[in-house]
Amino acid sequence: MAEFTMELNEEQREVRDWLHGFAADVIRPAAAEWDEREETPWPVIQEAAKVGIYSLDFYAQQYFDPTGLGIPMAMEELFWGDAGIALSIVGTGLAAVGVLANGTEEQVGTWIPQMYGDANDVKVAAFCSSEPDAGSDVASMRTRAVYDEAKDEWVLNGTKTWATNGGIANVHVVVAVVDPELGSKGHASFIVPPSTPGLSQGQKFKKHGIRASHTAEVVLEDVRVPGSCLLGGKEKLDERLARARERAKAGGERVKNAAMATFEASRPAVGAMAVGTARAAYEVALDYAKTREQFGRPIIDNQGVAFQLADMRTSVDAARLLVWRASWMAINGKQFTAAEGSQSKLFASETAKKVTAQAIQILGGNGYTREYPVERMHRDAAIYTIFEGTSEVQRLVIARTLSGMPIR
């Protein structure tokens, strides 16, 4: 087990500096354009693929970093560049984590490479869990998967929403209900291979922020996938459902469902994204405060501005500490006895919203215009308190964990 440390080793520092250079030289110059276009920045994704950032190998190296700091370090640097473009680069990772968390070795080896493609033909993947009437309330999920034993196929029907890369993905990972009587315990995850009949893109959302990232509905109409596309396999599913039924009869402990397993693994990474956006806004505000003069002196000479910057930096550093702690705990098998994963996501996401708002205030009227990036950063930051579990859900998870009570 790696000891917890705040010092990056030499290899990690090299990776961080490499990512920072890509974010500064490639992502930032393109950020305003793709935000305005509200389209997937395929040329930037391809550039990331050419240098090795958008690849299975790169994310595997970071994911299995024994210190746990590889993924949060990478997320922070890329999202420091721009949240919308960065999400287009890393969005495939959520589907990949879904396969890693629930799939067999054969499924991991078969499907994750197809999620990325290669530098000459980049692909993306989508993780489809939320529904129009089932976001945080996963027990209300309506998408159904029915097993056709004669053909060894699963038939999927339903509508997913808020899917990053939904409809344009090469591979979709879909969470569906296989046993409605078990509520959220009766869910399973399925691979929908490329060009599978019955899967289509529904509404594409025009968003407040992260506009360079494609978000859409995914419609499933009698989508048939081979039995081998059930993540983990049918034998494992049948065993899990049998245990859930026994526990339900006995009123026993809860069983984590497939979607929640994916979200728990990714929450500190979302916190790191928020840290990157918050840090970027803080740095813009600091530079502006040093050079902008009012009444014959730089505005940072005023306590009202200087104290805001002090609070901003403190909050950013505190958020990073929580994210790194949770990431280290996760990779080393430490249980989140105080919901440390949710703590990191909650604090970092709330910090991003606050710090980006403070940055606009420090820039004044300039901060409210699109001539300066803090306006875009503030719009982007709003998503962190919403996706992969709202701040309210994080507080609920933390409170339940601390109290042991079914708080509602």
Side-chain angles (χ1 to χ4, degrees):
M1 181 178 71
E3 293 185 0
F4 180 68
T5 175
M6 291 301 295
E7 287 290 332
L8 299 177
N9 60 40
E10 184 177 354
E11 182 179 352
Q12 290 170 327
R13 289 195 298 270
E14 289 178 356
V15 172
R16 179 198 61 192
D17 294 345
W18 171 53
L19 291 170
H20 187 80
F22 183 84
D25 298 338
V26 181
I27 294 178
R28 278 205 169 177
E33 175 189 351
W34 291 99
D35 179 72
E36 290 287 344
R37 292 176 63 167
E38 299 191 53
E39 297 174 358
T40 300
W42 292 107
V44 183
I45 298 175
Q46 187 168 32
E47 286 300 311
K50 287 179 179 178
V51 299
I53 293 174
Y54 186 76
S55 71
L56 171 62
D57 288 344
F58 173 73
Y59 285 105
Q61 289 174 14
Q62 305 315 309
Y63 187 83
F64 292 111
D65 181 336
T67 70
L69 303 185
I71 288 293
M73 177 191 64
M75 296 299 107
E76 179 177 339
E77 294 305 327
L78 293 173
F79 280 74
W80 172 90
D82 176 69
I85 291 178
L87 190 57
S88 288
I89 294 173
V90 307
T92 292
L94 184 57
V97 168
V99 176
L100 284 169
N102 302 296
T104 64
E105 288 187 11
E106 182 179 358
Q107 288 169 331
V108 169
T110 298
W111 295 111
I112 293 184
Q114 295 187 49
M115 294 179 173
Y116 289 95
D118 57 50
N120 296 317
D121 185 23
V122 293
K123 306 292 186 182
V124 294
F127 183 76
C128 308
S129 177
S130 294
E131 298 184 1
D133 297 318
S136 300
D137 183 12
V138 294
S140 297
M141 190 177 292
R142 295 180 180 177
T143 297
R144 296 287 188 265
V146 178
Y147 184 56
D148 183 343
E149 189 171 0
K151 296 183 177 181
D152 186 26
E153 292 179 340
W154 289 89
V155 185
L156 279 63
N157 282 281
T159 299
K160 294 296 182 179
T161 194
W162 309 122
T164 298
N165 298 328
I168 66 170
N170 194 48
V171 176
H172 291 76
V173 178
V174 177
V175 181
V177 178
V178 294
D179 189 335
E181 294 183 0
L182 292 176
S184 62
K185 304 176 188 68
H187 295 178
S189 292
F190 299 85
I191 293 286
V192 180
S195 303
T196 298
L199 184 146
S200 62
Q201 179 184 309
Q203 176 187 3
K204 177 186 175 182
F205 296 103
K206 296 181 73 67
K207 305 188 297 296
H208 176 66
I210 55 167
R211 301 199 304 196
S213 174
H214 176 95
T215 310
E217 290 182 332
V218 174
V219 180
L220 304 124
E221 297 178 310
D222 292 329
V223 172
R224 285 183 168 268
V225 300
S228 60
C229 287
L230 166 64
L231 289 181
K234 193 166 188 305
E235 182 177 348
K236 183 178 178 181
L237 172 65
D238 289 341
E239 291 175 356
R240 178 167 63 81
L241 294 178
R243 290 195 302 270
R245 293 185 188 107
E246 288 300 315
R247 289 186 176 114
K249 289 178 183 178
E253 63 185 282
R254 299 182 177 187
V255 180
K256 295 177 183 176
N257 64 65
M260 289 300 101
T262 299
F263 289 141
E264 282 191 11
S266 62
R267 275 174 180 158
V270 175
M273 298 174 188
V275 171
T277 300
R279 185 184 119 211
Y282 157 75
E283 290 176 359
V284 171
L286 177 63
D287 290 342
Y288 185 89
K290 288 179 177 179
T291 58
R292 172 67 168 174
E293 291 192 0
Q294 289 286 284
F295 306 105
R297 61 180 182 175
I299 63 173
I300 198 171
D301 280 355
N302 299 295
Q303 283 189 2
V305 173
F307 283 10
Q308 280 197 77
L309 288 163
D311 288 343
M312 292 160 74
R313 175 58 185 266
T314 301
S315 295
V316 169
D317 285 2
R320 184 184 299 108
L321 277 165
L322 286 171
V323 167
W324 283 22
R325 179 185 68 169
S327 301
W328 173 81
M329 291 177 68
I331 199 69
N332 285 288
K334 299 281 188 179
Q335 287 205 348
F336 289 164
T337 57
E340 287 86 352
S342 289
Q343 284 185 35
S344 69
K345 199 267 186 184
L346 170 64
F347 189 81
S349 59
E350 294 289 346
T351 292
K353 283 186 69 174
K354 182 177 180 180
V355 167
T356 54
Q358 288 174 304
I360 290 177
Q361 194 68 23
I362 290 172
L363 270 67
N366 286 330
Y368 197 65
T369 72
R370 295 188 183 182
E371 297 300 313
Y372 288 80
V374 292
E375 175 271 340
R376 184 179 68 252
M377 293 170 182
H378 184 51
R379 286 189 286 109
D380 291 341
I383 194 60
Y384 299 130
T385 62
I386 298 173
F387 72 176
E388 295 200 47
T390 64
S391 287
E392 291 74 22
V393 166
Q394 306 309 320
R395 291 185 176 99
L396 189 63
V397 170
I398 296 166
R400 284 176 173 174
T401 304
L402 296 177
S403 67
M405 301 295 289
I407 298 169
R408 296 184 180 275

